[in-house]
Each structure stands twice: as C-alpha cells, then as structure tokens.
Amino acid sequence: MTTPRFVIEDNVEDFNGDLLVFCVYQAKEGGLCHGPMEKQVQKAVEVGDFSGKEEETLLFYPLHGMELSLAGVKRVLVLGLGDPSEQEEPGGVRDLFRRTGGVIAKQCEKLKAQTLMVTLPETELLEPGQMAECLVEGICLGDYRFVKYKKEKSKEREYPGLNHVALAPGKTDHDVLQRGMDLGRTAAMAVCQARDMANEPGNAWTATAFAEFAQNFVEDLVKDSTEPHSLGCRILEKSDMERLGMGGILAVNRGSDEPPQMVVVEYLPEKRAETILLVGKGVTFDSGGISLKTALGMENMKYDMCGGAAVLCAMQVVALERPNVGVVAIIPATDNLAGGMAVKPGDIIRHFNGITSEIINTDAEGRVILADALAWGINEYSPCCVVDIATLTGAVVMGLGHHYSGLMGNNDLLAQRLVSAGARSGEPLWRLPLGKAYSKQIESKVADIRNIGGKSAGAITAAAYLENFVGDTPWAHLDIAGTAWDFTEKTYIPKGPSGVGVRTLVELIRSWEPGVCG
Ligand code: BES
Ligand code: ZN
Ligand code: ZN
C-alpha cells in the first residue's frame, strides 16, 4: 500500500483532480450549504433527496457556467455530517470526523478517485487542527487494503488507493492545519502497518518476522538520522531466555519448530524524566497447544499477535515524534503449537521472577509469555509504568462484545489516562475489577499459581495472573480479544484486523506528563 500525499491547498477553484468534497451539517432551518454548491444542494433538500444526515451523499458532475467555476474537477461530492452536537460520547465529535474520512475513502474507492480535495467545514465543537487530524486519520484508515496475495490482475488490485489528498483550510491557520494533518497521518500509517502484520498469515508472520521487522525499522531510522536518535533494538533469542530463566515463553514455544523471540525496541532520550514500558502479546498462531482449539474459526488465531503489532507500530510513531518521555516496547513472540515436545497440562514451569506456575490449560498461553516479558522488562528498565496489550481471553468478548476493550490494572491514575486516550482515539475501554477474591481463583495446590481460574470471570483471572509479575509498578492491562478484529463496524475500520490499541497508546504518550501515575 502506498501512502497518499497530504497537502494544504487554498484555492478550491484551481483543483482539477478526481473528487472535491464539501462536508455539510444537517439542516435545522434554512440552507445547509454555502459556497459554490449552495443552490444545487438547496434544490436537493427541497425535493427531499438530501438533509445532511451523517453519511448521506450527493454526487455532482460540474459543468462550465456554474456559479463558481468548478469545471476543472471531475466530480463534486456533498457529504452529510449530521448534527455534531448530538455526539454525546467523550471524543464523539473527533470520531465523527474520523468516520467522515472513512466515508470519503470509501467513495473514492467506488469512483476510483485518486486525487482528492476536502474543504473543511466550520464548527465550534472541535478545533480545526483536531478536525484535520481526525479527517486525515479517517481517510488514511478507510483507504486501507491488503492485496499482497491477490493476482496482479485481480479486481481487488484495480484501484491502487489514494495518491494525493488536499485539505482546503478555509479560515484556519496553515501551521495549525499542518500539525493536525501530520498527527493524523503518522498515527494512521502506524495502524495500517499493524493491520498488515496481522493480515500476514501465520506461516509468514513468525516470531522471527517480528524480530526482523523491528531490527530493520530501527536500523533504517538510525541510518538516516543526523541527530542523536536514542533508538535501539534488542532481540533475546532462545539461548538468552534459557540463561535468564524465562520458563514461560520457553514452555509455550516447546511445541513448535519456530524459535521464540523476545523483541525489544527502546527509545531512551537523554532528557527523559521517566520511561513507559509497553508489552504486547505476540502469539503468531494460537492452536491452543495440547489443549487444542476446535477447528471452527481457528484460522483467526493468526491474529493472536495483534497486541505485539500494536506496541511495535506505536513505537514507530514514537521514533518519528521523539517525545520527552522514554518508551520501551517488548514483544514476547512465539506460536503455540502441539509438537512432540509441547508443554502439557499438569506441567509446572518457573517464570523469570522465580514464580512457579502449574499449566492447567495450554491454551491460556498469552499470560504465560507476557509474565516473563513483564517481569524482565520491569527489572531491566525500571519504568514509571507498564501497559500490556493482548488478545488474551474469549471471556472479555463475552463480557464486552466487540465494542469495548477490557481494561484492568493496579493504578487509578494510569487507568484514567488510558480511558481518556481511548475515548479520544475512538477505541473505548471499560475497566473491570481486580482483587483478592479473583486471585484466589488461580491458586494452585502444587505451584505458586496456576494458569487458569475456572469458568467465571475469565478476563479478570487472566489479569490476576499478570498482576503477579508487575510488583508495585503502576500497571494497566488491555484485553483486545474482542476488538483486534471484528471491531464495531465503522467506515474507517475494515473487516479483518482493526489495528486497535496503536492510536490509544500513541495518544497516551503524546499527552504524557511526568508523574501522572503518582
Ligand atoms: N488467544 C486466545 C484468546 C482469544 C479468544 C482471542 C477468542 C480472541 C478471540 C487465548 O490464548 C485463549 O485461548 N484463551 C482461552 C483461555 C482459557 C483456556 C482459560 C480462552 O479465552 O478461551
Ligand atoms: Zn490460547
Ligand atoms: Zn492466545
């Protein structure tokens, strides 16, 4: 997929590309569209064909002789925004503009339009910089497609995607607009990258692929950098894991011929006051292991690395934007298979921090690999806080469906930060409790803990397992099993992997202030 060029262009009449878009609000009384399309839209409203509801569209083919000459452009789309004051959810108006961007991308695909201009509407409900950010984000995310494995001459490959996107600023200052556009584009490209990783099949996107991607992206950035870059990549291989006593990831990997990798990307600027640690589950295929899953839908378990993809792709944004806070991402990566050496129910393993665990169900493998990554990462980097993200439990899908990701943790301030970052990103989070009663469910008779907690509260008992590996460090856990794919249908979220988590983590880092976890 190529990235479209995003530019600011003042003169709407000079635009001679494939599609020009005017966004209009729903009419309360009187005309709803000003400027060159005013009369035509008025007519459409009068005959009852258009009212400016969200996602409503009108397509025109302008000719010479129209009031203002738009004859240079192939088509004009008038697009409804509804009434933004009805967006009651936190971050609702931001998401309206993201969805609008998604509608625009879909229309472009339908019309095979590659050069686009969008005129920014006015509203007091959202600053213009944020409007540009969300529109660009929505356009980029809506323009996503994964056609790598389709024939060169297939219909899926006919339209290569957007090439040139211009925003017409209206009264907005160019710098404000440019900054908003940059924020939107950078975040969206990272999300598209995460979707690409997830779309890759389990035979292509292995633990080694994770490691190679991280090494290459860090190497490329370091090579091109003239200033100090503060970036680094470390890979812990199987022998390192053995030396360090990472019995969890080693146990999960035992049923596989693919070597495990602990992938670490560091951004540690000298001026940092603190460091945030991100940990993402990188199970490149989850068969369940000896506790084998059923066949129906098992192919979706290639998406079990979406947490790992999210932290790695968030790191790409960090590398470009260079915030004052340090950020380290760790991806424990392996597949979970059932080879002859595989870990078995009843086996006891020892994690990096010495805690022993009785493996009751080999399909509860995510927590087992995350445990080592959390304990090692905290020991190695002494972070101010740690956020892990994982497609961890079917139980969270039962509880929250495909609309919210689950949030659990030991620190109210960090949890609050994440809830607002999620709301601003259109990736809502819902917090679930933790506590002694849940921890009791994972007590083992023969080891310190066991890896499942019975039928009830499965999302929470998984988090209770992880809690054993974070000590007093402020920690939050995001369970994205319901949202990493099949996420709430929206114009900018395709079927398949959503890239959820990338933008929430990016937003958390962008708005970071030292000491927020207390
Ligand atoms: N990767 C799965 C969780 C999952 C399930 C993600 C459905 C997305 C959709 C995880 O490793 C798993 O299999 N968890 C088990 C845990 C159980 C054995 C305690 C589950 O949720 O069924
Ligand atoms: Zn599993
Ligand atoms: Zn899994």
Side-chain angles (χ1 to χ4, degrees):
M1 204 178 112
T2 51
T3 320
R5 216 173 27 250
F6 286 92
V7 299
I8 302 173
E9 277 170 27
D10 278 299
N11 229 332
V12 178
E13 291 145 70
D14 290 345
F15 180 67
N16 57 8
D18 296 331
L19 184 69
L20 170 63
V21 180
F22 290 98
C23 301
V24 301
Y25 298 110
Q26 187 157 6
K28 283 200 178 122
E29 66 257 3
L32 71 176
C33 181
H34 303 290
M37 302 310 294
E38 187 167 354
K39 289 207 167 123
Q40 282 92 332
V41 174
Q42 191 53 43
K43 177 102 202 231
V45 174
E46 275 163 25
V47 299
D49 287 357
F50 188 75
S51 66
K53 279 206 286 282
E54 191 181 334
E55 290 191 35
E56 223 180 359
T57 55
L58 278 179
L59 191 61
F60 294 98
Y61 296 86
L63 301 168
H64 280 288
M66 281 180 145
E67 212 166 312
L68 239 171
S69 174
L70 295 174
V73 70
K74 264 195 203 148
R75 317 166 181 89
V76 174
L77 183 78
V78 177
L79 173 57
L81 294 169
D83 177 356
S85 67
E86 283 173 8
Q87 301 294 330
E88 284 165 357
E89 304 269 311
V93 183
R94 283 174 61 86
D95 209 50
L96 168 65
F97 283 97
R98 240 179 247 121
R99 294 195 299 272
T100 299
V103 176
I104 294 171
K106 290 287 158 286
Q107 286 286 332
C108 286
E109 176 166 41
K110 196 168 124 195
L111 302 166
K112 302 204 167 37
Q114 287 193 268
T115 48
L116 167 72
M117 177 182 255
V118 185
T119 65
L120 286 187
E122 283 177 28
T123 171
E124 272 150 28
L125 296 172
L126 192 66
E127 291 159 19
Q130 291 198 48
M131 185 189 292
E133 175 193 344
C134 294
L135 254 179
V136 165
E137 215 168 82
I139 291 172
C140 244
L141 293 173
D143 190 39
Y144 177 79
R145 54 190 60 74
F146 186 77
V147 294
K148 182 176 161 188
Y149 292 97
K150 291 279 182 190
K151 271 198 220 72
E152 209 55 63
K153 288 225 165 344
S154 62
K155 68 174 187 321
E156 290 87 353
R157 279 197 181 220
E158 241 171 67
Y159 174 64
L162 282 162
N163 168 287
H164 176 98
V165 180
L167 291 196
K171 295 183 200 124
T172 307
D173 181 69
H174 279 209
D175 289 347
V176 170
L177 207 61
Q178 189 62 54
R179 191 170 145 64
M181 288 166 74
D182 289 347
L183 290 172
R185 195 198 64 243
T186 315
M189 292 322 297
V191 174
C192 291
Q193 181 65 253
R195 289 175 181 173
D196 275 352
M197 292 178 183
N199 269 317
E200 285 288 350
N203 58 336
W205 199 262
T206 56
T208 307
F210 254 127
E212 281 172 1
F213 182 93
Q215 273 166 324
N216 289 340
F217 119 72
V218 170
E219 233 168 65
D220 287 351
L221 278 178
V222 169
K223 195 174 65 214
D224 299 340
S225 161
T226 44
E227 304 159 55
H229 46 72
S230 329
L231 266 187
C233 179
R234 293 170 68 183
I235 308 291
L236 304 187
E237 315 235 7
K238 191 169 173 179
S239 54
D240 302 308
M241 296 173 191
E242 283 162 353
R243 181 172 46 81
L244 290 162
M246 295 181 166
I249 183 166
L250 287 167
V252 172
N253 181 254
R254 282 176 67 91
S256 173
D257 288 344
E258 280 288 337
Q261 309 279 341
M262 187 74 79
V263 181
V264 187
V265 178
E266 301 170 342
Y267 166 75
L268 296 170
E270 253 171 51
K271 58 189 172 206
R272 71 186 182 275
E274 4 186 77
T275 299
I276 302 172
L277 178 62
L278 307 175
V279 176
K281 172 178 173 181
V283 172
T284 55
F285 183 76
D286 181 9
S287 74
I290 296 295
S291 315
L292 195 64
K293 288 181 183 294
T294 51
L296 188 71
M298 206 209 269
E299 67 281 5
N300 285 336
M301 283 300 134
K302 73 171 182 173
Y303 299 141
D304 212 17
M305 36 54 73
C306 284
V311 301
L312 186 51
C313 295
M315 216 56 208
Q316 291 189 294
V317 179
V318 169
L320 290 175
E321 296 185 351
R322 302 174 183 218
N324 286 329
V325 64
V327 188
V328 175
I330 306 182
I331 303 116
T334 175
D335 43 14
N336 182 25
L337 298 179
M341 292 293 283
V343 65
K344 308 171 290 299
D347 284 1
I348 298 177
I349 60 152
R350 187 182 297 276
H351 281 295
F352 171 80
N353 66 350
I355 290 182
T356 58
S357 171
E358 185 186 8
I359 303 298
I360 303 292
N361 189 319
T362 64
D363 196 10
E365 83 299 341
R367 63 202 76 181
V368 176
I369 66 169
L370 289 169
D372 285 336
L374 287 166
W376 178 79
I378 290 170
N379 183 62
E380 190 76 8
Y381 294 99
S382 309
C384 66
C385 71
V386 51
V387 181
D388 79 74
I389 174 163
T391 47
L392 206 61
T393 66
V396 85
V397 195
M398 292 297 116
L400 301 175
H402 297 286
H403 311 303
Y404 279 75
S405 303
L407 161 66
M408 284 142 271
N410 62 6
N411 183 289
D412 293 346
L413 293 164
L414 178 61
Q416 196 42 56
R417 281 265 157 176
L418 278 160
V419 168
S420 5
R424 281 176 63 81
S425 312
E427 299 182 338
L429 299 172
W430 195 265
R431 192 171 178 188
L432 301 170
L434 287 170
K436 281 205 186 100
Y438 297 106
S439 302
K440 209 168 150 30
Q441 285 182 240
I442 54 164
E443 281 175 5
S444 161
K445 288 208 174 69
V446 289
D448 296 327
I449 48 176
R450 55 188 215 146
N451 83 328
I452 60 168
K455 271 198 194 132
S456 58
I460 301 175
T461 53
Y465 189 94
L466 300 178
E467 203 179 7
N468 287 287
F469 302 89
V470 297
D472 296 331
T473 306
W475 155 72
H477 157 64
L478 307 180
D479 192 337
I480 55 167
T483 50
W485 68 98
D486 291 345
F487 193 14
T488 311
E489 232 181 288
K490 283 191 204 178
T491 57
Y492 65 89
I493 303 175
K495 293 216 160 58
S498 62
V500 75
V502 176
R503 288 180 302 108
T504 298
L505 294 173
V506 166
E507 186 67 41
L508 179 79
I509 295 163
R510 282 176 178 167
S511 60
W512 193 259
E513 294 146 30
V516 292
C517 297

